[in-house]
Amino acid sequence: MSNQNSSQISGHLQYVKGAASEMIGNMTNASSWQESGRKDKQAAVGEMRAAKQQSDQQLDYDSRNPTALNAEGKAQGIAGGLTGCGGMQERGLEKQQMASQKASEK
């Protein structure tokens, strides 16, 4: 899903909905709820990835200060760890790696 309206927020909400549906399905042994939950979670991950790609194109990391980019990446990684969001952790790590690469080029 890579449309102009991809959103991290709606992707996260859809993921939570899918996780809840899947949990209900697991608790009640209802395969339709389990499958619906898995599909919602997969669609949500696709939307979050599309939103990330759109955001990356708009942020122009190449022009950013490596120190600020590194600090932002650390904060995002910590926030992702606290909330259990692997995407935030991954994105924070990417920013830290980009900052490190930029700093070594100087």
Side-chain angles (χ1 to χ4, degrees), residues 2-104:
S2 78
N3 64 43
Q4 278 308 97
N5 298 321
S6 295
S7 163
Q8 287 288 334
I9 294 170
S10 67
H12 278 89
L13 291 174
Q14 184 175 9
Y15 191 90
V16 169
K17 176 186 172 260
S21 294
E22 189 174 16
M23 183 175 63
I24 290 168
N26 290 339
M27 290 171 42
T28 62
N29 204 24
S31 61
S32 62
W33 280 77
Q34 292 168 332
E35 183 62 25
S36 174
R38 281 191 290 271
K39 285 181 180 179
D40 277 344
K41 289 184 348 183
Q42 287 175 339
V45 168
E47 179 165 358
M48 288 184 282
R49 285 187 175 142
K52 176 190 176 299
Q53 186 176 27
Q54 289 172 4
S55 177
D56 286 350
Q57 291 170 353
Q58 295 169 351
L59 290 176
D60 188 21
Y61 289 142
D62 291 336
S63 67
R64 301 206 29 218
N65 176 295
T67 304
L69 191 58
N70 187 52
E72 183 180 319
K74 283 182 181 179
Q76 192 165 14
I78 291 168
L82 293 173
T83 61
C85 180
M88 285 179 74
Q89 290 174 311
E90 181 182 307
R91 188 169 183 134
L93 182 59
E94 287 174 6
K95 289 178 182 179
Q96 290 176 345
Q97 290 169 342
M98 173 85 57
S100 177
Q101 179 182 348
K102 288 179 67 164
S104 67

